[in-house]
């Protein structure tokens, strides 16, 4: 008697470097500048029109006419132009729902150069060598790319296993292609691994409640040369992928804080009437938080934990760094030394690494049922009460 294994669909991205000829690079640069210009024209058109005349159909007609009137915009494939329109409307939707700021003009030197290829069937991907593949780019032609991961191409392609689209992205190392991949694979068995609490930080990137902290070292991330910065960013992203995969394979339940990172990195400069304090120190801290990319780490942990049959849970953030994980005593003076936690309770005297203490508190909040509510973006009423945890092993 055979038992059919449950199947689950999974979507993910895969990024590969393109090997372009100088002529191909100039063509893609032209498309990217055209996409940025189309975004700016669309934004100007949208903001100047009265509200009652704004609609998706009117915007679609406007960009179609612009591609006919301006040869500069005509170098952008029609499907890529439609992708610009779709992305622009999605940006406004994110703004209306409170997830992001309102869209604005894209500067020539401040915005990332990119081109969308929304239709996967246009790519016609083939593997020609163990290290190289070939992809068809609209109005560019056949282009080689580095083959570093098996992709659903050729006879392995069907409605459940296919590449749904791609995006061309340029950084200091050149042009890359990011494939959007959809595959169907066996649903994972429930993860039987232990539970772990994780505290994200600047000194220790990921502090675990069991003491198995994860650190990526300190590569030359602050160089002034763009290529060095791009390589450092790529190495940091690679470290995030490898570390989150290792954690998802090891632990069945991963517990993190429900942080509002956008509020944490706000400037402290204040106003002319009420200037802020320690502005330069806060700016340095904001840069460090942004470079660690905490939100991206949590996103990776979420989908990778689900991939391996585990779960990711968020708990209330307030008090985790100042509460003693041994006795539950909370006081601001326990963190006079930023790296070390010292309990000021005379009957306790617990002393440990501050990040490890916070990770133990994070895990304990989950064990006693104080879980953040994702839908509301706030914590439960009980989470505001004083917590007295037992020692976390």
């Amino acid at each position: 008697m055979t038992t059919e294994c449950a199947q689950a669909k999974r979507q993910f991205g895969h990024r590969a470097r393109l090997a372009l000829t100088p002529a191909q690079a100039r063509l893609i640069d032209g498309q990217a500048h055209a996409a940025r210009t189309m975004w700016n024209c669309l934004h100007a058109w949208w903001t100047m029109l009265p509200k009652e005349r704004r609609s998706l159909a009117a915007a679609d007609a406007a960009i179609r006419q612009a591609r006919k009137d301006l040869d500069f915009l005509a170098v952008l494939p029609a499907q890529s132009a439609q992708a610009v329109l779709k992305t622009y409307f999605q940006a406004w939707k994110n703004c209306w729902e409170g997830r992001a700021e309102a869209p604005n003009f894209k500067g020539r030197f401040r915005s990332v150069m990119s081109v969308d290829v929304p239709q996967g069937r246009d790519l016609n991907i083939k593997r020609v060598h163990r290290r190289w593949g070939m992809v068809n780019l609209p109005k560019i032609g056949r282009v080689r790319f580095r083959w570093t991961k098996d992709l659903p191409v050729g006879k392995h392609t069907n409605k459940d296993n296919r590449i749904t689209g791609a995006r061309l992205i340029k950084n200091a190392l050149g042009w890359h292609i990011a494939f959007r991949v959809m595959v169907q694979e066996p649903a994972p068995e429930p993860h039987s691994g232990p539970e772990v609490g994780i505290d994200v930080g600047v000194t220790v990137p990921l502090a675990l409640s069991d003491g198995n902290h994860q650190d990526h070292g300190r590569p030359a991330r602050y160089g002034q040369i763009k290529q060095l910065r791009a390589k450092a960013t790529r190495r940091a992203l690679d470290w995030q992928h490898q570390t989150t995969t290792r954690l998802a394979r090891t632990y069945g339940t991963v517990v993190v804080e429900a942080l509002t990172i956008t509020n944490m990195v706000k400037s402290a400069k204040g106003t002319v009437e009420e200037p802020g304090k320690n502005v330069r120190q806060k700016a340095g801290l904001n840069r460090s938080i942004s470079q660690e990319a905490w939100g991206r780490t949590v996103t990776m942990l979420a989908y990778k934990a689900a991939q391996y049959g585990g779960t990711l849970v968020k708990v209330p953030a307030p008090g985790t760094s100042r509460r003693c994980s041994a006795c539950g005593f909370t006081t601001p003076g326990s963190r006079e030394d930023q790296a070390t936690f010292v309990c000021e309770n005379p009957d306790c005297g617990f002393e440990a690494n501050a990040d490890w203490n916070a990770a133990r508190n994070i895990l304990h909040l989950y064990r006693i049922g104080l879980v953040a509510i994702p839908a509301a973006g706030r914590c439960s009423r009980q989470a505001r009460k004083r917590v007295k945890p037992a020692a976390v092993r």
Side-chain angles (χ1 to χ4, degrees), residues 135-358:
V135 59
N136 183 68
L137 302 180
K139 294 195 175 186
I140 304 294
R142 300 294 287 171
V143 178
R144 290 193 308 161
F145 68 92
R146 290 285 293 176
W147 190 281
T148 57
K149 184 181 181 67
D150 288 336
L151 299 171
V153 298
K155 62 181 181 180
H156 302 291
T157 303
N158 53 54
K159 64 177 182 179
D160 296 322
N161 297 273
R162 57 193 174 94
I163 294 176
T164 59
R167 171 171 287 190
L168 309 178
I169 306 169
K170 187 178 184 180
N171 62 14
L173 298 176
W175 279 98
H176 297 72
I177 183 167
F179 297 107
R180 293 187 286 269
V181 187
M182 182 178 69
V183 297
Q184 189 173 45
E185 54 190 17
E189 296 290 334
H191 202 305
S192 59
E195 301 168 343
V196 66
I198 299 180
D199 178 65
V200 293
V202 175
T203 305
V204 180
L206 299 178
L208 276 58
S209 58
D210 59 4
N212 184 23
H213 306 324
Q214 305 293 316
D215 193 358
H216 50 55
R218 290 295 178 268
R221 294 189 297 163
Y222 307 104
Q224 297 181 354
I225 303 176
K226 286 187 176 180
Q227 287 190 350
L228 291 179
R229 285 180 172 174
K231 287 182 179 179
T233 301
R234 188 177 63 181
R235 290 171 182 170
L237 183 61
D238 180 68
W239 176 86
Q240 280 184 308
H241 272 295
Q242 294 193 31
T243 302
T244 51
T245 299
R246 183 167 56 251
L247 294 174
R249 286 175 174 172
T250 304
Y251 300 99
T253 303
V254 179
V255 189
V256 298
E257 293 176 298
L259 298 174
T260 307
I261 300 175
T262 53
N263 293 340
M264 298 175 64
V265 296
K266 285 186 177 179
S267 174
K269 63 181 180 181
T271 62
V272 177
E273 294 78 12
E274 297 182 2
K277 298 180 180 179
N278 300 323
V279 177
R280 294 184 63 184
Q281 294 87 332
K282 183 63 169 64
L285 176 61
N286 290 349
R287 284 194 297 270
S288 299
I289 293 175
S290 299
Q291 287 162 356
E292 292 298 337
W294 294 343
R296 188 169 62 196
T297 299
V298 174
T299 300
M300 290 181 180
L301 281 171
Y303 77 78
K304 290 183 180 181
Q307 181 182 350
Y308 290 99
T311 56
L312 182 132
V313 182
K314 293 184 179 182
V315 299
T320 54
S321 61
R322 296 185 297 173
R323 185 183 303 121
C324 177
S325 60
C327 70
F329 193 77
T330 303
T331 176
S334 59
R335 291 292 302 276
E336 291 183 358
D337 181 2
Q338 194 67 17
T340 306
F341 179 90
V342 180
C343 183
E344 295 188 341
N345 184 354
D347 297 328
C348 178
F350 177 73
E351 181 176 349
N353 176 274
D355 296 319
W356 180 50
N357 176 75

